[in-house]
Amino acid sequence: MAAGTGTAAVDVAVIGAGAAGMMCAATAGRRGRRVVLIDHATKLAEKIRISGGGRCNFTNRDAGPANFLSANPNFCRSALARYTSQDFIDLVTRHRIAWHEKHRGQLFCDESSEDIIRMLRAETDAAGVSWRMPCSVTAITRNVPASQTAPDADPSGFPTRTGFIIETSHGPIHAGRVVIATGGLPIPQIGATDFGLKIARQFGLKIIEPRPALVPLTFDAAAWKPFVPLAGVALEVDIRTGEGKKAPRFREDLLFTHRGLSGPAVLQISSFWEPNTPITIDLAPGLDLAAALLDAKPGNRQQVVTVLSGLLPRRLAEQWLVAHGDLWPGLATQRLADVPDKTLRALAASLASWAVVPSGTEGYKKAEVMRGGVDTRGLDQQTMEAKTVPGLHFIGETVDVTGWLGGYNFQWAWASGVAAGQAV
Ligand code: FDA
């Protein structure tokens, strides 16, 4: 990776060479802008590399504004409409990267997420983007006090009295415009930082409180003890949180862990979950458990645990009855025919609407994304530029736009990167 030194002058400095940053730099470079891409990491695009289990779920065919959370839900509309998942599929196809659809519109590389990294690298090379990597940024300041009015550039396009000075470990850079693409807080062990949030605060932008999202949920150790033996059990569930018809709800797989719950269902709902509130889980979705038990009851000499094991994963059935031993002592070994209807209905209800209050999440070490970030009400939705700081743009995960699980977050990175790249 070329790492220049000394003072440099560019039209655009993109800080963060991840998904959004590379997309933005390539788009701006193709428009003839002199672009420098700066990243502090030694290895390029680690998040893309580890994404999708190493195969990068690079987009979702059906990505639309409804698949994103934000304090300002309409903000993402424009960028998503101008750069769609089909646009990214076309790019991937032009680079002859083989891909497949897994389920629900989720598109993955056939081979490896390295293909996507190589593609983006090739796009930036073709666009004449220069690199500083590894290179750390120590400060960003405006070239002149914001109150002074001055032309953006001299006749040759060199940024003169406006723009920004970026102090880096490889010397200062004068840039007409700066794009912050340093991502979110998850997985600090591979280089995630709060740089984007700090810069936003420095320039007076508001932040929507960040927190881990798409993250496993944890429970108080004592409360979780009865469910610890279920670690490793996976099953499809219906999961929801919140009240009312519009409360988010997903039908996905759930995984029991030693500390709590994980799997796609839980990651999805974690983005919506509010501390100290319950999540409600139907462990037998699409099945009327009460009816199934009552229908099977007449003359049935099988033990309840045996019958229940025919309707649910065996370990879950067994442990569920153990965990609720206080409520229904001896129920597991009772003959089904001898159990009162009321008890069977209560047992079914406990499984069909299991309401549990997580104590927290596994945090940024395990989260796939950060919820919150730069408040989009301070940004222009066409250009991603800060309304009060001309020339300063924010894209990707740093911004308060958070996608569901399933390729949506990369689609936001591509779309917001292109939106800024077309504007800078
Ligand atoms: P991204 O994190 O990609 O890039 C930020 C860049 O900024 C990094 O290169 C970093 O080194 C650099 N940087 C940070 N601080 C800096 C500083 N102070 N100075 C200089 N550089 C700095 N999404 C999806 O749609 N499909 C998927 O399959 C997955 N899978 C997945 C798995 C796992 C384990 C995780 C953690 C996340 C995912 N995601 C995902 C989410 C996806 O990876 C994420 O939303 C995008 O990478 C965000 O793109 P950005 O470009 O905004 O940040």
Side-chain angles (χ1 to χ4, degrees):
M1 194 79 51
T5 53
T7 306
V10 293
D11 299 316
V12 184
V14 180
I15 305 176
M22 282 199 275
M23 201 67 179
C24 175
T27 306
R30 282 195 190 279
R31 292 174 49 238
R33 295 290 187 268
R34 291 168 304 166
V35 182
V36 65
L37 192 42
I38 305 167
D39 200 294
H40 70 164
T42 45
K43 221 168 162 192
L44 181 60
E46 279 286 67
K47 280 252 174 98
I48 299 179
R49 183 170 291 107
I50 63 172
S51 68
R55 293 236 163 94
C56 186
N57 177 194
F58 54 78
T59 192
N60 193 297
R61 255 190 208 293
D62 307 318
N67 306 112
F68 293 84
L69 290 81
S70 173
N72 181 17
N74 283 328
F75 178 82
C76 61
R77 274 181 190 280
S78 169
L80 290 173
R82 284 183 294 141
Y83 192 85
T84 64
S85 53
Q86 189 57 49
D87 289 321
F88 196 76
I89 294 167
D90 292 345
L91 180 64
V92 164
T93 307
R94 276 203 301 283
H95 283 260
R96 299 174 191 280
I97 296 172
W99 55 270
H100 60 278
E101 181 169 338
K102 241 189 181 169
H103 79 155
R104 297 182 187 168
Q106 301 171 4
L107 307 189
F108 287 75
C109 296
D110 281 0
E111 300 290 332
S112 158
S113 46
E114 298 278 355
D115 288 342
I116 299 293
I117 301 173
R118 267 195 296 275
M119 175 189 84
L120 293 169
R121 184 67 222 255
E123 286 288 307
T124 61
D125 288 346
V129 171
S130 60
W131 286 78
R132 285 199 182 185
M133 186 181 164
C135 172
S136 40
V137 175
T138 48
I140 302 178
T141 49
R142 293 219 66 148
N143 214 359
V144 289
S147 56
Q148 253 176 274
T149 50
D152 237 326
D154 71 15
S156 71
F158 184 87
T160 52
R161 301 186 60 218
T162 56
F164 301 83
I165 301 171
I166 304 165
E167 301 292 347
T168 79
S169 54
H170 294 274
I173 299 172
H174 291 225
R177 290 177 177 272
V178 173
V179 182
I180 306 294
T182 48
L185 296 170
I187 326 283
Q189 52 278 36
I190 57 165
T193 68
D194 63 352
F195 183 86
L197 303 178
K198 273 192 185 148
I199 295 298
R201 284 196 192 99
Q202 177 194 329
F203 284 95
L205 273 77
K206 290 209 173 88
I207 304 291
I208 302 293
E209 191 56 27
R211 60 177 221 223
L214 299 183
V215 64
L217 296 171
T218 55
F219 293 83
D220 170 72
W224 195 249
K225 208 169 163 204
F227 303 104
V228 172
L230 289 173
V233 169
L235 73 164
E236 192 182 60
V237 302
D238 210 84
I239 194 164
R240 63 183 199 275
T241 191
E243 299 295 327
K245 273 190 187 159
K246 286 194 172 164
R249 184 179 206 126
F250 295 92
R251 172 83 60 94
E252 294 267 15
D253 284 350
L254 169 144
L255 174 70
F256 283 88
T257 72
H258 289 282
R259 288 160 50 84
L261 295 171
S262 187
V266 173
L267 300 189
Q268 294 284 31
I269 214 72
S270 72
S271 299
F272 297 86
W273 174 68
E274 295 296 336
N276 305 316
T277 66
I279 54 170
T280 305
I281 302 167
D282 181 350
L283 291 160
L287 176 68
D288 186 341
L289 258 185
L293 290 170
L294 292 171
D295 286 352
K297 179 177 162 178
N300 196 326
R301 299 182 56 76
Q302 284 185 310
Q303 294 183 343
V304 171
V305 67
T306 309
V307 177
L308 202 58
S309 296
L311 299 168
L312 295 169
R314 189 180 50 81
R315 272 171 71 197
L316 174 60
E318 287 170 358
Q319 193 55 33
W320 195 260
L321 291 165
V322 173
H324 293 82
D326 288 354
L327 201 55
W328 305 302
L331 180 61
T333 51
Q334 277 184 46
R335 310 268 174 227
L336 186 67
D338 301 338
V339 180
D341 289 2
K342 201 174 138 200
T343 306
L344 292 179
R345 280 202 193 90
L347 173 63
S350 73
L351 287 153
S353 50
W354 182 34
V356 275
V357 181
S359 59
T361 76
E362 290 282 5
Y364 287 119
K365 271 189 176 172
K366 294 273 172 69
E368 286 205 5
V369 286
M370 171 181 89
R371 193 181 161 181
V374 179
D375 189 340
T376 59
R377 287 165 288 208
L379 304 178
D380 181 298
Q381 61 179 349
Q382 307 277 333
T383 63
M384 308 288 136
E385 186 175 16
K387 288 175 182 167
T388 51
V389 192
L392 181 64
H393 303 246
F394 291 85
I395 58 175
E397 197 179 323
T398 309
V399 173
D400 172 36
V401 174
T402 307
W404 292 3
L405 186 76
Y408 303 100
N409 284 295
F410 277 133
Q411 188 56 36
W412 170 247
W414 318 135
S416 60
V418 168
Q422 286 170 344
V424 287

